[in-house]
Amino acid sequence: LVKAPFLEWKVGSVGMTVMSGIKQVFDPDGLLNPGKMFAKAARKRVVIEHG
């Protein structure tokens, strides 16, 4: 869950689409870990740079 907000930075939007599609194939009813990795609301992170 901690890494979820950063996953798209790692795999890109195409990777997210592919992974979401794979989850949909294996879990069409969304019963396995609902809302964990592919939550409807995108999570954003705040970057604070220390100078």
Side-chain angles (χ1 to χ4, degrees), residues 17 20 22 26 28 32 36-37 43-44 47-48 50:
T17 301
S20 181
I22 292 169
F26 288 102
L32 305 173
K36 295 284 181 165
M37 293 302 295
R43 298 179 190 123
K44 303 290 182 190
V47 177
I48 300 173
H50 298 281

Side-chain angles (χ1 to χ4, degrees), residues 1 3-4 7-8 10 14 18 21-22 24 26-27 30-32 34-39 42 44 48-49 51:
L1 288 175
K3 294 184 205 178
L7 185 58
E8 188 170 356
K10 181 73 173 170
V14 173
V18 169
I22 292 169
Q24 180 62 34
F26 288 102
D27 184 24
L31 299 176
L32 305 173
K36 295 284 181 165
M37 293 302 295
F38 303 104
K44 303 290 182 190
I48 300 173
E49 294 187 26

